[in-house]
PDB file of all heavy atoms in Angstrom:
ATOM      1  N   ALA A  14       4.769  37.023   2.370  1.00  0.00           N
ATOM      2  CA  ALA A  14       5.091  37.137   0.900  1.00  0.00           C
ATOM      3  C   ALA A  14       6.578  37.418   0.737  1.00  0.00           C
ATOM      4  O   ALA A  14       7.134  38.264   1.502  1.00  0.00           O
ATOM      5  CB  ALA A  14       4.258  38.156   0.271  1.00  0.00           C
ATOM      6  N   GLY A  15       7.172  36.786  -0.217  1.00  0.00           N
ATOM      7  CA  GLY A  15       8.608  36.852  -0.390  1.00  0.00           C
ATOM      8  C   GLY A  15       9.445  35.834   0.387  1.00  0.00           C
ATOM      9  O   GLY A  15      10.727  35.715   0.108  1.00  0.00           O
ATOM     10  N   GLY A  16       8.953  35.157   1.307  1.00  0.00           N
ATOM     11  CA  GLY A  16       9.541  34.201   2.165  1.00  0.00           C
ATOM     12  C   GLY A  16       9.623  32.788   1.489  1.00  0.00           C
ATOM     13  O   GLY A  16       9.229  32.604   0.301  1.00  0.00           O
ATOM     14  N   SER A  17      10.130  31.841   2.202  1.00  0.00           N
ATOM     15  CA  SER A  17      10.360  30.494   1.692  1.00  0.00           C
ATOM     16  C   SER A  17       9.790  29.394   2.640  1.00  0.00           C
ATOM     17  O   SER A  17       9.770  29.742   3.888  1.00  0.00           O
ATOM     18  CB  SER A  17      11.910  30.294   1.516  1.00  0.00           C
ATOM     19  OG  SER A  17      12.514  31.091   0.637  1.00  0.00           O
ATOM     20  N   LEU A  18       9.475  28.240   2.090  1.00  0.00           N
ATOM     21  CA  LEU A  18       9.102  27.110   2.891  1.00  0.00           C
ATOM     22  C   LEU A  18       9.702  25.966   2.147  1.00  0.00           C
ATOM     23  O   LEU A  18       9.808  25.890   0.960  1.00  0.00           O
ATOM     24  CB  LEU A  18       7.585  26.908   3.023  1.00  0.00           C
ATOM     25  CG  LEU A  18       6.868  27.752   4.089  1.00  0.00           C
ATOM     26  CD1 LEU A  18       5.366  27.491   3.954  1.00  0.00           C
ATOM     27  CD2 LEU A  18       7.325  27.459   5.486  1.00  0.00           C
ATOM     28  N   ARG A  19       9.862  24.917   2.955  1.00  0.00           N
ATOM     29  CA  ARG A  19      10.266  23.565   2.222  1.00  0.00           C
ATOM     30  C   ARG A  19       9.261  22.528   2.728  1.00  0.00           C
ATOM     31  O   ARG A  19       9.167  22.288   3.960  1.00  0.00           O
ATOM     32  CB  ARG A  19      11.702  23.123   2.592  1.00  0.00           C
ATOM     33  CG  ARG A  19      12.015  21.879   1.726  1.00  0.00           C
ATOM     34  CD  ARG A  19      13.517  21.440   1.954  1.00  0.00           C
ATOM     35  NE  ARG A  19      13.687  20.779   3.271  1.00  0.00           N
ATOM     36  CZ  ARG A  19      14.629  19.928   3.476  1.00  0.00           C
ATOM     37  NH1 ARG A  19      15.666  19.738   2.601  1.00  0.00           N
ATOM     38  NH2 ARG A  19      14.771  19.250   4.580  1.00  0.00           N
ATOM     39  N   LEU A  20       8.542  21.931   1.824  1.00  0.00           N
ATOM     40  CA  LEU A  20       7.665  20.837   2.088  1.00  0.00           C
ATOM     41  C   LEU A  20       8.389  19.484   1.992  1.00  0.00           C
ATOM     42  O   LEU A  20       9.233  19.277   1.121  1.00  0.00           O
ATOM     43  CB  LEU A  20       6.489  20.825   1.180  1.00  0.00           C
ATOM     44  CG  LEU A  20       5.603  22.053   1.199  1.00  0.00           C
ATOM     45  CD1 LEU A  20       4.506  21.850   0.240  1.00  0.00           C
ATOM     46  CD2 LEU A  20       5.089  22.438   2.576  1.00  0.00           C
ATOM     47  N   SER A  21       8.111  18.558   2.825  1.00  0.00           N
ATOM     48  CA  SER A  21       8.626  17.213   2.770  1.00  0.00           C
ATOM     49  C   SER A  21       7.524  16.217   2.604  1.00  0.00           C
ATOM     50  O   SER A  21       6.395  16.425   3.105  1.00  0.00           O
ATOM     51  CB  SER A  21       9.321  16.910   4.058  1.00  0.00           C
ATOM     52  OG  SER A  21      10.490  17.804   4.168  1.00  0.00           O
ATOM     53  N   CYS A  22       7.788  15.092   2.027  1.00  0.00           N
ATOM     54  CA  CYS A  22       6.883  14.010   1.749  1.00  0.00           C
ATOM     55  C   CYS A  22       7.602  12.732   1.986  1.00  0.00           C
ATOM     56  O   CYS A  22       8.407  12.362   1.118  1.00  0.00           O
ATOM     57  CB  CYS A  22       6.157  14.156   0.545  1.00  0.00           C
ATOM     58  SG  CYS A  22       5.035  12.725   0.179  1.00  0.00           S
ATOM     59  N   GLU A  23       7.261  11.959   3.066  1.00  0.00           N
ATOM     60  CA  GLU A  23       7.884  10.694   3.198  1.00  0.00           C
ATOM     61  C   GLU A  23       7.030   9.567   2.526  1.00  0.00           C
ATOM     62  O   GLU A  23       5.743   9.654   2.661  1.00  0.00           O
ATOM     63  CB  GLU A  23       8.051  10.319   4.632  1.00  0.00           C
ATOM     64  CG  GLU A  23       8.939   9.179   4.999  1.00  0.00           C
ATOM     65  CD  GLU A  23       9.271   8.992   6.336  1.00  0.00           C
ATOM     66  OE1 GLU A  23       8.816   9.677   7.227  1.00  0.00           O
ATOM     67  OE2 GLU A  23      10.036   8.017   6.720  1.00  0.00           O
ATOM     68  N   VAL A  24       7.566   8.854   1.705  1.00  0.00           N
ATOM     69  CA  VAL A  24       6.872   7.860   0.882  1.00  0.00           C
ATOM     70  C   VAL A  24       7.105   6.470   1.290  1.00  0.00           C
ATOM     71  O   VAL A  24       8.246   6.036   1.543  1.00  0.00           O
ATOM     72  CB  VAL A  24       7.351   8.064  -0.689  1.00  0.00           C
ATOM     73  CG1 VAL A  24       6.473   7.102  -1.591  1.00  0.00           C
ATOM     74  CG2 VAL A  24       7.257   9.491  -0.989  1.00  0.00           C
ATOM     75  N   PHE A  25       6.052   5.727   1.452  1.00  0.00           N
ATOM     76  CA  PHE A  25       6.027   4.271   1.954  1.00  0.00           C
ATOM     77  C   PHE A  25       5.414   3.407   0.868  1.00  0.00           C
ATOM     78  O   PHE A  25       4.399   3.858   0.300  1.00  0.00           O
ATOM     79  CB  PHE A  25       5.433   4.147   3.199  1.00  0.00           C
ATOM     80  CG  PHE A  25       5.834   4.941   4.369  1.00  0.00           C
ATOM     81  CD1 PHE A  25       5.327   6.149   4.573  1.00  0.00           C
ATOM     82  CD2 PHE A  25       6.883   4.555   5.087  1.00  0.00           C
ATOM     83  CE1 PHE A  25       5.803   6.966   5.572  1.00  0.00           C
ATOM     84  CE2 PHE A  25       7.443   5.285   6.226  1.00  0.00           C
ATOM     85  CZ  PHE A  25       6.809   6.528   6.437  1.00  0.00           C
ATOM     86  N   GLY A  26       5.965   2.205   0.658  1.00  0.00           N
ATOM     87  CA  GLY A  26       5.296   1.287  -0.144  1.00  0.00           C
ATOM     88  C   GLY A  26       5.568   1.274  -1.636  1.00  0.00           C
ATOM     89  O   GLY A  26       4.726   0.700  -2.404  1.00  0.00           O
ATOM     90  N   ILE A  27       6.632   1.944  -2.062  1.00  0.00           N
ATOM     91  CA  ILE A  27       6.893   1.990  -3.468  1.00  0.00           C
ATOM     92  C   ILE A  27       8.330   1.807  -3.724  1.00  0.00           C
ATOM     93  O   ILE A  27       9.183   1.800  -2.947  1.00  0.00           O
ATOM     94  CB  ILE A  27       6.459   3.365  -4.099  1.00  0.00           C
ATOM     95  CG1 ILE A  27       7.548   4.444  -3.654  1.00  0.00           C
ATOM     96  CG2 ILE A  27       5.124   3.732  -3.795  1.00  0.00           C
ATOM     97  CD1 ILE A  27       7.441   5.697  -4.476  1.00  0.00           C
ATOM     98  N   THR A  28       8.573   1.445  -4.957  1.00  0.00           N
ATOM     99  CA  THR A  28       9.971   1.480  -5.544  1.00  0.00           C
ATOM    100  C   THR A  28      10.088   2.699  -6.379  1.00  0.00           C
ATOM    101  O   THR A  28       9.378   2.931  -7.364  1.00  0.00           O
ATOM    102  CB  THR A  28      10.281   0.140  -6.343  1.00  0.00           C
ATOM    103  OG1 THR A  28       9.979  -0.890  -5.628  1.00  0.00           O
ATOM    104  CG2 THR A  28      11.609   0.117  -6.925  1.00  0.00           C
ATOM    105  N   PHE A  29      11.056   3.611  -6.015  1.00  0.00           N
ATOM    106  CA  PHE A  29      11.106   4.866  -6.564  1.00  0.00           C
ATOM    107  C   PHE A  29      11.153   4.822  -8.155  1.00  0.00           C
ATOM    108  O   PHE A  29      10.614   5.610  -8.763  1.00  0.00           O
ATOM    109  CB  PHE A  29      12.318   5.660  -6.116  1.00  0.00           C
ATOM    110  CG  PHE A  29      12.042   6.612  -4.867  1.00  0.00           C
ATOM    111  CD1 PHE A  29      11.378   6.042  -3.725  1.00  0.00           C
ATOM    112  CD2 PHE A  29      12.362   7.908  -4.868  1.00  0.00           C
ATOM    113  CE1 PHE A  29      11.142   6.896  -2.702  1.00  0.00           C
ATOM    114  CE2 PHE A  29      12.122   8.715  -3.841  1.00  0.00           C
ATOM    115  CZ  PHE A  29      11.455   8.207  -2.780  1.00  0.00           C
ATOM    116  N   ASP A  30      11.992   3.852  -8.723  1.00  0.00           N
ATOM    117  CA  ASP A  30      12.052   3.820 -10.138  1.00  0.00           C
ATOM    118  C   ASP A  30      10.777   3.464 -10.898  1.00  0.00           C
ATOM    119  O   ASP A  30      10.790   3.593 -12.121  1.00  0.00           O
ATOM    120  CB  ASP A  30      13.254   2.778 -10.464  1.00  0.00           C
ATOM    121  CG  ASP A  30      14.569   3.340 -10.208  1.00  0.00           C
ATOM    122  OD1 ASP A  30      14.642   4.618  -9.921  1.00  0.00           O
ATOM    123  OD2 ASP A  30      15.586   2.641 -10.131  1.00  0.00           O
ATOM    124  N   GLU A  31       9.732   2.991 -10.159  1.00  0.00           N
ATOM    125  CA  GLU A  31       8.582   2.615 -10.875  1.00  0.00           C
ATOM    126  C   GLU A  31       7.468   3.662 -10.773  1.00  0.00           C
ATOM    127  O   GLU A  31       6.357   3.467 -11.362  1.00  0.00           O
ATOM    128  CB  GLU A  31       7.945   1.342 -10.266  1.00  0.00           C
ATOM    129  CG  GLU A  31       8.999   0.097 -10.436  1.00  0.00           C
ATOM    130  CD  GLU A  31       8.347  -1.228  -9.827  1.00  0.00           C
ATOM    131  OE1 GLU A  31       7.234  -1.127  -9.278  1.00  0.00           O
ATOM    132  OE2 GLU A  31       9.015  -2.238  -9.891  1.00  0.00           O
TER     133      GLU A  31
END
Side-chain angles (χ1 to χ4, degrees):
S17 298
L18 277 177
R19 188 177 79 158
L20 303 182
S21 300
C22 174
E23 193 169 5
V24 184
F25 302 90
I27 72 164
T28 301
F29 265 54
D30 285 348
E31 295 180 2

